[in-house]
Amino acid sequence: MQNNRKEHLYKILVIGDLGVGKTSIIKRYVHQTYSTNYRATIGVDFALKVLNWDSETVRLQLWDIAGQERFGNMTRVYYREAMGAFIVFDVTRPTTFEAVSKWKEDLDSKLTLSNGQSIATVLLANKCDQKRDFLTNNSLKMDQYCKENGFVGWFETSARENININEAANFLVKHIIASENDILKSVVPDTISPQLNSDKEMTCSYWLSLD
Amino acid sequence: MIDCWWQYSFMQPNHIRVCVRMSSKGDAHQFSGLYMIIKAVFSLLSEVGVEQAVLHRQHSLPHRPVIPLVAHMVDQNTSGTPAMTEREASRLDKFRQVLAGPNTDLEELRKLSWSGISRQVRPITWKLLSGYLPANAERRESTLQRKRQEYFGFIEQYYDSRNDEHHQDTYRQIHIDIPRTNPLIPLFQQASVQEIFERILFIWAIRHPASGYVQGINDLVTPFFVVYVFEYIEEEVENFNVSSLQEEVLRNIEADSFWCMSKLLDGIQDNYTFAQPGIQRKVKALEELVSRIDGMVHRHMQQYEVEYLQFAFRWMNNLLMRELPLRCTIRLWDTYQAEPEGFSHFHLYVCAAFLVRWRKEILEEKDFQGLMIMLQNLPTMHWGNEEVSVLLAEAYRLKFAFADAPNHYKR
């Protein structure tokens, strides 16, 4: 028994309006490639990313969900058992940012962790290489927005230029692990996880100092 | 109880021995139905070439030359090049005979089209089978003129409203999806082609407010457009520059594509209305069907918690267009237009046959991730007419065996 590594499997949703770059972000993250040739996602596309996380293995099931939601309750089927989510918007199209709160509400109304909390969700302001930010140049406002809407943080990303994709994913995984520990703690009250609070603060200041 | 089996010997490649055993006199009346299936399957196999079809069933894909993703787009066998075989020439002849009279016998045309339409006659045949053109040859020209005028009347009337508040969402979505429709085929990157697609989809969407524009419908214009461009050119279509066509010709192609796509969508509109009930129903039906025809595959999916919706939604929403190269879709649609309720009903059996076609690969995957990634990236890039024909024959068999006796075969 050489391989004693602990394995984690996390399902992560990637949602947001159509054409904001969800598929591109995932392809960049999983295959380290970028192309302008992706077709519109129909239903859901599925990808897998394996990370070495300290001495453990983390498998991320990435669910790339079509931006045009016409199926009524289908997202409920797709959301099931997810542990984390990215909500993506396109910094060059304000309407895609307006839709963010709708996606967040949809997510929270259909999915909660066993302790009643909503799942860790990170906001991605994608296509930041196109420098037509209408909003993200005001990072304090974005921080405020995240607090008010229950996001654990936000990142300016570019799938094309490979900006902040890995950082955002690591950040989300940290929060997923933290919330998992939270749940464990609530199930077994005398389990001690001393890292938890300091860890949260650390990641917090990390995203605040992005700009 | 009827048992039926068939034998094939490589020593006698032109002979197939079919054995039928009936256990009671009462079975005799079922025999004629069985005979029809056998006949249909073998006439299809003779299209494919029986040797190849049998090989495909026994082994995995033999070593084949690499066919580029979209080259020889419409098909490989009936391209009208000097390489046309005798069999293809005789088929084309039959088509021309059926199409020659003052009144086309649509039933005859359907029968002939079921096993594939020759490239040279495909545009007219599709227009006839879809109901866009009347069977009466004399009325065709005036019908075309009227319909084309009608379409461009819609454009004049509605297209300027695309930036109005109540239509801009629709137009924006179409506008985002058009450049990523067939992104690998240069034909579709031409500005004038993209504008054609935008007009077709926008007009269709606002004239069908119960569904509006739904992602995936953009793909469904493509086969019509490609086939109708072919009506006017000799060369390969994938790199064809449409600006070399006369403006009027391009307008005709646009209007014809619009109307034929509309006819197709009329038959499957509940796939795209709110909550997509047609798709929900068909995915459920697919699951039910697979559980009866291949319990092992079905249980395997259940064991690893793969839900049919997760992979088959796209199969239904885009009529397998995302799973097959475009040339195969065009061949598939020959049959869908020949088959009654081809797009809405027969497609279900094609999906079932398609899934079971991968049973070996499915059973080899031992976790959810592996299964999903495999099912969403099925290796069909090299598929051509032969593979589609085998798939269709199997779908036909399933339809016959399972359509009218839903519980008879339940294990």
Side-chain angles (χ1 to χ4, degrees), chain A residues 18-19 37-46 48 61 63 68 70-71 74 77-78 80 93 95, chain B residues 172-173 176 180 183-184 211 213-215 272 275 280 307 310 313-314 317-318 322 368-369 373 376:
Chain A
L18 85 170
N37 290 335
Y38 303 130
R39 294 187 283 185
T41 304
I42 304 295
V44 60
D45 266 343
F46 183 87
L48 187 68
Q61 266 184 12
W63 291 58
Q68 194 193 29
R70 295 303 307 268
F71 206 85
M74 187 155 68
V77 179
Y78 291 155
R80 198 183 298 150
R93 284 191 292 141
T95 55
Chain B
R172 216 182 271 147
Q173 295 190 338
I176 290 171
R180 41 186 197 161
L184 294 171
S211 58
Y213 171 70
V214 176
Q215 288 190 310
Y272 306 107
Q280 307 213 34
E307 291 181 47
Q310 289 158 355
F313 176 80
R314 191 169 75 190
N317 192 70
N318 290 44
R322 290 295 183 90
F368 175 86
Q369 285 85 252
I373 287 171
Q376 294 199 326

Side-chain angles (χ1 to χ4, degrees), chain A:
Chain A
M1 290 295 281
Q2 273 200 327
N3 196 350
N4 248 344
R5 292 165 70 95
K6 207 172 153 193
E7 289 221 3
H8 300 270
L9 179 66
Y10 300 127
K11 172 173 169 178
I12 293 177
L13 307 170
V14 183
I15 54 182
D17 268 10
L18 85 170
V20 296
K22 299 178 291 295
T23 302
S24 295
I25 287 172
I26 290 174
K27 299 270 185 190
R28 168 61 81 185
Y29 183 51
V30 175
H31 303 293
Q32 291 86 42
T33 54
Y34 175 80
S35 155
T36 52
N37 290 335
Y38 303 130
R39 294 187 283 185
T41 304
I42 304 295
V44 60
D45 266 343
F46 183 87
L48 187 68
K49 170 91 176 178
V50 182
L51 297 174
N52 292 320
W53 196 267
D54 299 331
S55 59
E56 300 172 353
T57 302
V58 170
R59 285 169 189 276
L60 302 179
Q61 266 184 12
L62 296 153
W63 291 58
D64 176 7
I65 293 172
Q68 194 193 29
E69 160 63 350
R70 295 303 307 268
F71 206 85
N73 254 336
M74 187 155 68
T75 50
R76 194 186 292 275
V77 179
Y78 291 155
Y79 289 175
R80 198 183 298 150
E81 289 173 20
M83 289 291 287
F86 289 115
I87 296 182
V88 188
F89 70 97
D90 172 353
V91 295
T92 67
R93 284 191 292 141
T95 55
T96 65
F97 178 71
E98 288 156 24
V100 164
S101 59
K102 270 185 277 174
W103 283 103
K104 184 72 166 70
E105 279 163 29
D106 186 54
L107 184 62
D108 290 346
S109 70
K110 290 174 180 166
L111 183 69
T112 48
L113 297 171
S114 61
N115 61 3
Q117 302 277 311
S118 54
I119 63 169
T121 306
V122 171
L123 181 60
L124 301 184
N126 195 37
K127 308 193 188 180
C128 71
D129 57 294
Q130 296 191 18
K131 290 298 169 214
R132 277 192 284 156
D133 308 13
F134 53 88
L135 191 157
T136 51
N137 49 14
N138 191 338
S139 73
L140 276 176
K141 252 192 182 159
M142 283 298 286
D143 295 345
Q144 188 62 28
Y145 180 88
C146 283
K147 239 180 229 164
E148 284 166 5
N149 290 277
F151 289 93
V152 293
W154 68 282
F155 287 82
E156 281 187 293
T157 56
S158 164
R160 186 198 298 256
E161 301 298 331
N162 195 16
I163 298 170
N164 272 344
I165 310 271
N166 285 315
E167 288 79 356
N170 288 340
F171 178 78
L172 180 61
V173 170
K174 252 182 216 168
H175 275 269
I176 291 172
I177 291 174
S179 63
E180 200 178 39
N181 290 342
D182 260 353
I183 293 170
L184 286 177
K185 208 170 63 176
S186 67
V187 172
V188 189
D190 48 1
T191 302
I192 303 158
S193 42
Q195 298 297 331
L196 197 63
N197 287 335
S198 61
D199 194 39
K200 247 186 188 161
E201 266 166 33
M202 190 194 78
T203 51
C204 222
S205 58
Y206 174 65
W207 62 262
L208 281 170
S209 63
L210 257 181
D211 282 41

Side-chain angles (χ1 to χ4, degrees), chain B residues 55-238:
Chain B
L55 270 176
H56 276 287
R57 282 166 172 232
Q58 290 180 342
H59 309 291
S60 56
L61 275 184
H63 188 72
R64 295 166 54 101
V66 174
I67 304 166
L69 187 60
V70 288
H72 316 294
M73 187 150 57
V74 165
D75 50 24
Q76 304 128 53
N77 297 342
T78 53
S79 56
T81 58
M84 190 155 73
T85 66
E86 226 171 276
R87 195 171 59 212
E88 287 155 9
S90 115
R91 274 184 63 75
L92 178 58
D93 231 36
K94 279 188 207 158
F95 270 107
R96 290 209 159 119
Q97 277 169 27
V98 174
L99 292 166
N103 272 297
T104 304
D105 181 343
L106 290 178
E107 223 17 71
E108 203 53 43
L109 191 61
R110 275 200 188 94
K111 270 188 206 154
L112 205 50
S113 300
W114 206 97
S115 15
I117 302 169
S118 311
R119 170 191 156 161
Q120 294 87 338
V121 292
R122 190 177 264 131
I124 174 109
T125 307
W126 276 26
K127 286 174 197 171
L128 283 163
L129 292 182
S130 67
Y132 176 49
L133 276 187
N136 182 317
E138 267 182 20
R139 286 175 42 221
R140 280 180 205 158
E141 202 40 54
S142 59
T143 303
L144 280 178
Q145 268 185 15
R146 185 168 46 80
K147 295 306 263 185
R148 287 166 181 169
Q149 265 174 15
E150 196 182 343
Y151 170 73
F152 284 101
F154 294 153
I155 299 280
E156 252 172 60
Q157 194 180 345
Y158 300 119
Y159 200 57
D160 282 341
S161 74
R162 65 190 182 279
N163 291 316
D164 292 359
E165 206 181 332
H166 56 297
H167 285 152
Q168 65 179 6
D169 267 2
T170 299
Y171 179 69
R172 216 182 271 147
Q173 295 190 338
I174 292 170
H175 189 71
I176 290 171
D177 279 354
I178 293 306
R180 41 186 197 161
T181 308
N182 306 302
L184 294 171
I185 305 175
L187 173 74
F188 297 101
Q189 299 314 310
Q190 295 166 40
S192 54
V193 173
Q194 297 194 348
E195 285 160 18
I196 288 173
F197 271 59
E198 283 192 7
R199 284 193 293 268
I200 291 176
L201 290 168
F202 180 75
I203 297 298
W204 189 88
I206 62 166
R207 284 177 49 80
H208 295 82
S211 58
Y213 171 70
V214 176
Q215 288 190 310
I217 292 180
N218 55 330
D219 280 359
L220 304 184
V221 189
T222 311
F224 293 115
F225 184 78
V226 166
V227 168
Y228 297 153
V229 166
F230 253 122
E231 195 169 357
Y232 300 95
I233 67 170
E234 297 286 324
E235 60 265 50
E236 279 299 337
V237 77
E238 63 170 326

